[in-house]
Amino acid sequence: MSDNASVMNVDGASVSEALFAANETRDIVLPNQTEHVSHIAVDIGGSLAKIVYFTSPDLKGGRLHFKKFETEKIDECIDFIADLMADARASKPDNTNLVLKATGGGAYLFCDKLEARLPGAIVQKEDEMDCLITGLNFFITEIPYEVFTYNEQEEDPMRFEEKTRDIYPYMLVNIGSGVSILKVTGPDEFSRISGTSLGGGTLWGLMSLLTKATSFDEMLEISKDGDNKNVDLLVGDIYGTDYTKLGLKATKIASSFGKVFKKGVQQSQDNFRSSDIAKSLLFMVSNNIGQIAYLNAKQHGLRRIYFGGCFIRGHPITMNTLSYAINFWSNGDMKALFLRHEGHLGATGAFLKHSVIRRARHSFSFSENNFIPVVNPNPRNVYGDIEETNVELRQTTTNK
């Protein structure tokens, strides 16, 4: 922690009600923030670069903003950071020691470029895993209506978890280009216990080869209308019915892409719908991650499993697949947990490395101010459509 660290007042913090486009991450409103915060944080991964920064248009209060760029467009990302720093210098000319907190592999890969393109800025690299845990702990303990479960077998699939400070131990499955699995037993006590190379980058790469989609969001969108039964070999295709002795339903996937191969036939992707291929790929990667997560949680005796990373993006199919895998293999003993800011854990953690947290005087609960969250049964746009789950102080918007 730097000696000139900013003070972040999270008393009354909440997720913004302002309307955002689909798959855009909502701001965090800090109604009691009084100190201006000029530093910026970036988490540069193999596929995406995520930015966290603060703005304060009024004398009191401010917002944390979240932005992402594809890493292959890193120059656009750096240009955006440069513009933010130019604005910070214009608003406070005496503030010459602007700090960029950088984490992720790109903090090292692009360090020289960051320093060259941001003259006068102090680029400070932070450990990636440490930032992930710091960011996750912040969202779990300080932001109400942030963490939720998702289960389409229930009438209301999406249910928010109550904010708590009793969070350890838990497991974090961070799904970026690859997957890292961390066991967390305390604020600064964690270890990487496993991982897999089959992650978001795998899905992105295979979909780029097998469909005409050109962005990750487009790939998720086309998968909505897909039917994986046209591509995957199911238990029912082998047995004609359920395999009840092993508890396998006829709809269970026996082999991903198992229907594609036919002896003596040279297959082409044109023989299959892109949406069916996309759905199959999404199930394949998500099921694999879910089972690996369960096996690690079982081995280490952990019951709370948080899924983070930009792979999820509030996508119902992904969340339901991960939740189903955890619930099925654990017989309901473990819980899959998701976050509205799951893709910005590392960047948020890096941002907080230059900040001192001033917490609320009391713990938040669902009963505070007689406010009860409304469950959103269709959280496809979990970033931008959960309008009724906010405790943002109304005067911060009505007085503007």
Side-chain angles (χ1 to χ4, degrees):
M1 184 71 67
S2 173
D3 292 336
N4 60 345
S6 303
V7 175
M8 298 295 297
N9 189 334
V10 297
D11 189 2
S14 67
V15 182
S16 173
E17 287 184 359
L19 292 177
F20 281 79
N23 296 315
E24 287 297 321
T25 306
R26 287 174 172 269
D27 299 342
I28 297 292
V29 177
L30 303 172
N32 295 299
Q33 179 70 19
T34 55
E35 180 178 332
H36 181 72
V37 180
S38 59
H39 70 274
I40 301 165
V42 62
D43 174 11
I44 309 176
S47 302
L48 294 170
K50 291 76 66 177
I51 298 173
V52 174
Y53 62 100
F54 175 87
T55 63
S56 180
D58 300 322
L59 294 177
K60 183 179 181 181
R63 290 170 179 259
L64 285 179
H65 302 273
F66 306 87
K67 184 80 172 175
K68 62 178 180 289
F69 293 86
E70 292 180 10
T71 302
E72 67 178 22
K73 299 177 181 178
I74 190 64
D75 289 331
E76 292 182 16
C77 175
I78 297 176
D79 287 342
F80 184 81
I81 295 173
D83 289 342
L84 292 176
M85 289 191 166
D87 291 342
R89 288 192 179 96
S91 62
K92 294 191 68 175
D94 59 326
N95 188 0
T96 58
N97 296 322
L98 294 178
V99 172
L100 174 67
K101 287 288 188 178
T103 189
Y108 298 87
L109 181 62
F110 298 111
C111 183
D112 292 341
K113 177 174 283 193
L114 288 168
E115 291 176 341
R117 296 276 297 278
L118 302 171
I122 302 172
V123 180
Q124 298 177 345
K125 296 186 287 291
E126 296 288 345
D127 179 74
E128 180 179 2
M129 298 304 159
D130 192 24
C131 288
L132 282 172
I133 300 306
T134 299
L136 177 55
N137 287 346
F138 169 77
F139 285 116
I140 295 173
T141 61
E142 305 298 343
I143 308 301
Y145 310 116
E146 170 70 30
V147 179
F148 61 94
T149 59
Y150 188 79
N151 184 356
E152 290 184 354
Q153 293 180 327
E154 297 181 357
E155 182 178 356
D156 295 322
M158 185 174 181
R159 297 184 181 277
F160 285 94
E161 293 283 293
E162 191 162 347
K163 197 180 74 167
T164 179
R165 299 202 189 283
D166 183 20
I167 63 175
Y168 306 109
Y170 67 79
M171 191 171 82
L172 168 61
V173 182
N174 192 61
I175 314 173
S177 300
V179 181
S180 285
I181 300 178
L182 306 177
K183 176 182 178 181
V184 185
T185 55
D188 299 306
E189 300 171 3
F190 64 89
S191 60
R192 186 181 188 275
I193 56 176
S194 188
T196 173
S197 61
L198 302 181
T202 308
L203 181 66
W204 200 337
L206 289 174
M207 282 200 180
S208 295
L209 286 172
L210 301 176
T211 74
K212 296 180 180 179
T214 58
S215 71
F216 197 54
D217 289 328
E218 185 181 352
M219 295 170 189
L220 293 178
E221 188 67 21
I222 65 173
S223 70
K224 288 193 312 172
D225 301 320
D227 187 350
N228 70 299
K229 294 194 297 293
N230 296 324
V231 177
D232 295 338
L233 186 68
L234 309 182
V235 170
D237 296 321
I238 301 173
Y239 288 92
T241 184
D242 297 343
Y243 190 169
T244 54
K245 186 174 182 178
L246 294 184
L248 298 175
K249 294 182 179 179
T251 54
K252 185 75 173 175
I253 298 173
S255 175
S256 296
F257 280 73
K259 287 180 180 174
V260 174
F261 174 75
K262 292 183 179 180
K263 189 174 181 180
V265 177
Q266 180 65 48
Q267 292 283 23
S268 166
Q269 65 190 66
D270 295 332
N271 296 341
F272 301 90
R273 293 197 311 155
S274 291
S275 57
D276 296 343
I277 293 173
K279 178 68 74 66
S280 175
L281 286 171
L282 189 59
F283 278 150
M284 180 181 72
V285 174
S286 298
N287 277 324
N288 182 72
I289 294 172
Q291 187 164 22
I292 291 174
Y294 158 73
L295 291 172
N296 277 278
K298 180 176 176 62
Q299 181 181 11
H300 292 270
L302 303 171
R303 299 178 62 184
R304 296 174 65 84
I305 305 172
Y306 292 91
F307 289 92
C310 283
F311 172 81
I312 301 169
R313 302 198 185 197
H315 195 249
I317 297 173
T318 308
M319 293 188 296
N320 192 64
T321 303
L322 292 170
S323 291
Y324 179 84
I326 297 300
N327 184 70
F328 176 83
W329 292 110
S330 72
N331 291 318
D333 190 50
M334 299 176 188
K335 184 183 290 188
L337 297 161
F338 305 97
L339 300 100
R340 297 171 74 179
H341 295 82
E342 86 272 272
H344 289 81
L345 303 183
T348 302
F351 187 89
L352 295 173
K353 292 294 183 179
H354 201 67
S355 305
V356 175
I357 297 296
R358 179 178 296 162
R359 291 183 169 83
R361 292 182 299 275
H362 61 283
S363 176
F364 183 92
S365 71
F366 281 170
S367 61
E368 183 174 344
N369 298 326
N370 297 317
F371 182 82
I372 303 296
V374 176
V375 176
N376 181 2
N378 181 21
R380 173 174 166 266
N381 297 326
V382 66
Y383 299 92
D385 284 351
I386 307 179
E387 296 298 325
E388 298 85 358
T389 59
N390 187 279
V391 291
E392 177 182 348
L393 299 181
R394 298 302 189 272
Q395 58 263 34
T396 61
T397 56
T398 56
N399 290 343
K400 293 183 180 179

